Structure formats: C-alpha cells, structure tokens
Amino acid sequence: MLRLDHAHHDGSERYVADAAPDLGDRVPVWVRVPHTAGVGHVHVRTTPDAEPHFEAATIDRTTETETWWRAEVRVVNPTTGYRFLLDGGPAGYQWLHAGGVSQHDVPDTTDFTLSTASPPPPWLADRWVYQVFPDRFARSGQERHWPDWANVAAWDDPIDNRRGMPVLQTYGGDLPGVEAHLDHLDRLGVNALYLNPVFPARSSHRYDATTFDHVDPLLGGDEALSALVTACHRRDIKVIGDLTVNHTGNHHEWFEAAERDAGSDEATYYTFRHHPDDYVAWFDVPSLPKLDLRQPGLRRRLLDGPESVVARYLGAPFDLDGWRVDVANMAGRLGAVDVNHEVARLMRATMAAAKPDTWLLAEHAHDAHLDLGGQGWHGTMSYAGFTRPVWCWLGAAQPDRTFLGVPAAVPHLGGPAVVATMEAFAAIVPWRSRAASMVLLDSHDTARFRSICGDPRLVEVGIGLQATLPGVPSTFAGDEVGVEGTDTNLARGPMPWDEAGWDHALLAVHQGLVALRRHEHALRHGGLRWVHVDDDVLVFERESQQQRLLVQVARASHRPVRLPSVSYRGASAVHGDAAVSYESDEVCLPGDGPAVRVWEIEP
C-alpha cells in the first residue's frame, strides 16, 4: 500500500523550528501536501486555554510533487497541541494529526504537541544502549563473601528454572567484571550502558533492595561503581542506573524500622493494613512492600532534593548519567491515591539540579501517554509501540508464546497491522518523548529475541528496525552473539565469553547496524514518513535538515516495490548491496528478503 499521497508532518527538525519553546513564543511549523491531495488552503488549529483557534498557513515552497505550507503555533500554555485542517480534495476537507490523515472530525488526543518543559538530553540522539544484568555479565575473580540466601552457581551452569530458584541462583558477576569487558562494548559500537540494580538485596535481580545507601559489596561496592563509570566516561559511554521507587525489599532498613516501631517515620513510608505483618506489597509479593510516595520524609530521602538517593548517585563519586525507573507506571499509584506525576516531576527536577542533561526513563509496558506530558519522564521503554509489534511481525506463530503477561499467544501479523500498532502508540505521545524512549527487541523481562524469531536473518531485520526507526536503541547483553532463552528466567543466563560459541555472523550484523545508526544523521535526528506498507515489506523515509534516507525492511521475499522516480532520484546505497532500478517513471526496490536496505536520496 503506497502512502505518498498522504500529507505529512511530525515533530522532527524538518517540520518544527523549535522543539523546546518558551511561553509566548510563536513556533514556525511546516506541513508537506502532495499535489494529488487537491488541497487549496491549510490552517493550523490550536486550543489556547482550551478554546479552538485557527490560523491560516501560507505556501513556503512548491516542488514537482508537493507543496510545503508554513504556519506558526503560538505557545500559550505549557503544553500546546496542534493539528492541520486541509481544505479541498475529494472529501472537502481533512485533518492531519499525529495519527495520520482523517476525513472525519477527530478528538484532540492525537494532536501534535509542543512543550515548554526542558527537553531530553541532547546526547540521547547519538546513543545505542547496552543493557547489563550485573550478576550474569562477567566475573572479575575477586573474592566475595556469599550471603546465606545465595545459591552459588558455576558460570557454565544452566539456569535452575524451578519455581522460586532463578532469583536465588547467583553467578557472581560484578562491576569490575563489567569494567574489564568495556573493550567488547567498544567493539560492538554501543556508547551507553544500562545497569540493572546495583544496590544490596536478597536476590540476583536486586529489585528487592535492602538499602540505597551503598552499592552491593557482592558487585564490588561503591568503589567499583565509581571506577566503572569513570572508565566508561573516558570512552564516551554514558551510564544509566536502575532505581525502584515503587517498592523496596522486605529486608530494607526502612521497612525493618517500620516493622519494629509503628510510630516511626519509616512506618509512614509503607501502607500497613494491620501492623506489622499485613501490608501492601507489589502484586502481593511479600518480599516487595510498596512505598507510599505521598510522604514528605520518604520523598526527601528517596527522590526529592540534593540529599536524596536520586541526586546522590548522579554526583561524585558515582556520576551516573540518568535513571531507568522500575515499574514507573505504578509508582505512587494505589487505588484512589495517584501521585505518579508528582513523583516524576520531583525526580526530573532533582536530576536537573544535581546534574543537567540526565535521562529519566520510565518502565511502562503499555499505553504511557497520560504519563508523558513533558514535565516528568523523558520517555519510556517502548514495549507496546515497538517490541510487541516487532515480535508480531518477525516471530514465528507459537501457541505457547506470550508477551508480558497477556493471556494469549503473540499473533503472527502482516505489515499493515504492525505499522498500525506502532502508529497508534506513537500518535498519542509527544515526538520528543518518542525520540527519548528506548526501542528494544527484548530485555531481562522477556524471552530473547533470537528465540522468538529462530531465523538469524529475521533477527537482523529486527536490529535493522531498531537502527532505523525513531527512539534510543538498546541491546540486552548477549543478543549480539546469539544468546537464546525462551522465557524471562532462561533469558537471564550468563554472558558466554568463549568466543568459539558465538554467532560471529550475527555479531558482524550488529556491528554494522550500530555503525549505520551512529553515522547517518537522518537516522538520529530525522522524522519518519511511511512510504509503502505490505505484509512482508515496510518502506519509510527518515529525513533531517542534512540528509534524506529511504529504508526498506523485508521479512520475506515479496513483489518488488515500485515508487515514483520523481520522488527518489539518485538513490545510492548506504546499507545493503542492492541497487535500485529505474524504469520509465518508476523506481523499483528489490523484492528479495529477509533484508535491511538503506539508500540516500539526492536533496
């Protein structure tokens, strides 16, 4: 299905003059309208102080195929929504909004958005994240005193997947082990490190912290984290920590103080139905008592101000570059209580004061649009808008394959349904939130993508989508060498350091696509325009002020894609070895697959 007849606008630099305006600014915006749409007039619609307002756009320039219209959006409120009224054509008029083009009236939910909040850190656009689960990445060989809860395993031992056992199985990976393997990150080309929790706990995943005051000695302690971050920064690798503000472990020093004394300040940090044994816990898991984030004392200690946990690890000697917040969607929410947005804004303000240009990333596995208004989380982990649709497109249909608790098998879908899913979730969040969100194929909370696809060629297509779509790509350690795992526990197996067992062809693919992303300006800063969508092939443009790229990803062989040659003259390959062919007034893209191809188009 060809989409070049649709008008287009997005929040990228090609279409918005200032993505971080101040109140009172008038921001120039552009919309491109194909001549075939028959549009004679364009207006931009805003809703200052919640009342609709229209201003006429003017023609900025005209090309062989389309007209570029220019309008101005007046920023009256901290968050300003806008869309375009296109007057003319067969339907009389149509709306252009973040959800696409509609020939019927639509609500404001999918309006484009400008925000006066400070933007995400500019370094994000140039990063590819590498996720490390500390216990399972690398051992330094330093002597450790093993706690009584740990079931210590040899590095080559399989995961013990019996109920309750994987969280106790401890392989002994530590932070000096990570530091010793930074050459591997350089070799891969990644330049941001996301560490799963490093605080002391009574599990190998460490989401049940027993204190936030120091780094787990099993991982090397405070000195090891400081040394690792320093070594990363020397290589221009940013380091992101993992913080749980929704709950602690039931052996956390705060919770133990709360249990001992119902009148203590710490007792207000939690919700006790009957003190001391009946309390609210995350998903009723007794080892994870839920925090009451309304409490001022808790806020000061955890997330608000220069003495908080949030601020402390952003400064010396740790110098982290941001936080990923575990189950951020649930933090501060319990029944009638909802202070989630306050929590996000407090964290954002604390981080900005402690260390400007830090990244605040929320874990949120479904519709996050109500939490991405601009003042709180910069972005989210794009499970719903990227991971699941990619699994649906590239994964084999298996009746026992589920996704993040959904009680139905992951379906096997064609391109139109997959793109519709991506567009639906992208349309309801600001462009810069989308660009600051993590696009991932898997993580410590899912099966491994290699196990989902089976075919290594489809894994390459998945990585290609990460490299070429908006967002911050992330690789879970081991994916690049072919690590498999059919469920969450098995996916957390130790990193295999015997290179004889690596999939070196996949490693080369990963290296090439990371390099592509880091080299091509339009992939890091450009907008997104879908060009052709079919069951087995997706074609889209990425265009920035400096560059225009055409991307083709295919999961299987398909009929060659034909596009108007007037729109794609002078296509030169920048990834993939196939050239386009020109036939009369059409350009023909190859029809073989699976494949990932990128061409640069003449301005």
Side-chain angles (χ1 to χ4, degrees), residues 132-147:
V132 164
F133 194 87
D135 181 62
R136 311 290 168 83
F137 187 66
R139 283 174 168 170
S140 66
Q142 298 180 18
E143 290 294 326
R144 304 289 184 222
H145 175 69
W146 300 110

Side-chain angles (χ1 to χ4, degrees), residues 458-482:
L458 293 177
V459 177
E460 177 179 357
V461 174
I463 303 167
L465 286 168
Q466 285 185 287
T468 56
L469 284 173
V472 185
S474 177
T475 298
F476 186 24
D479 282 350
E480 72 277 16
V481 297

Side-chain angles (χ1 to χ4, degrees), residues 16 24 108 115 180 185 303 316 347 401 419 469 490:
V16 177
D108 298 349
S115 174
L185 276 66
L303 51 88
M347 286 193 68
R401 184 62 43 77
V419 170
L469 284 173
L490 297 176

Side-chain angles (χ1 to χ4, degrees), residues 361-401:
L361 178 71
E363 182 191 23
H364 202 309
H366 43 279
D367 180 356
H369 85 277
L370 293 176
D371 299 341
L372 291 177
Q375 299 286 348
W377 323 118
H378 286 125
T380 187
M381 301 174 79
S382 299
Y383 285 115
F386 182 85
T387 314
R388 182 176 171 87
V390 172
W391 281 28
C392 291
W393 195 49
L394 298 177
Q398 299 182 33
D400 61 344
R401 184 62 43 77

Side-chain angles (χ1 to χ4, degrees), residues 398-480:
Q398 299 182 33
D400 61 344
R401 184 62 43 77
T402 60
F403 184 85
L404 292 181
V406 177
V410 176
H412 187 62
L413 301 177
V418 167
V419 170
T421 304
M422 291 182 174
E423 288 185 307
F425 283 97
I428 54 180
V429 301
W431 174 267
R432 69 184 194 183
S433 294
R434 181 183 188 182
S437 291
M438 182 183 284
V439 288
L440 62 167
L441 297 172
D442 56 22
S443 73
H444 66 292
D445 282 329
T446 72
R448 292 276 184 169
F449 188 63
R450 175 69 174 261
S451 298
I452 297 299
C453 292
D455 187 342
R457 297 176 302 167
L458 293 177
V459 177
E460 177 179 357
V461 174
I463 303 167
L465 286 168
Q466 285 185 287
T468 56
L469 284 173
V472 185
S474 177
T475 298
F476 186 24
D479 282 350
E480 72 277 16

Side-chain angles (χ1 to χ4, degrees), residues 38-117:
V39 171
H41 302 279
V42 174
H43 288 79
V44 62
R45 175 192 182 269
T46 57
T47 52
D49 299 329
E51 180 65 21
H53 174 75
F54 291 84
E55 289 196 20
T58 58
I59 294 176
D60 186 77
R61 61 192 182 277
T62 301
T63 71
E64 293 177 79
T65 58
E66 59 197 5
T67 299
W68 286 74
W69 295 78
R70 181 186 186 277
E72 288 190 346
V73 174
R74 187 163 61 97
V75 182
V76 174
N77 307 111
T79 299
T80 297
Y82 66 97
R83 65 175 112 125
F84 298 95
L85 177 66
L86 312 179
D87 190 3
Y93 76 91
Q94 53 193 326
W95 293 105
L96 172 61
H97 51 105
V101 174
S102 298
Q103 295 181 350
H104 56 81
D105 291 342
V106 294
D108 298 349
T109 312
T110 57
D111 278 4
F112 302 107
T113 304
L114 287 174
S115 174
T116 60

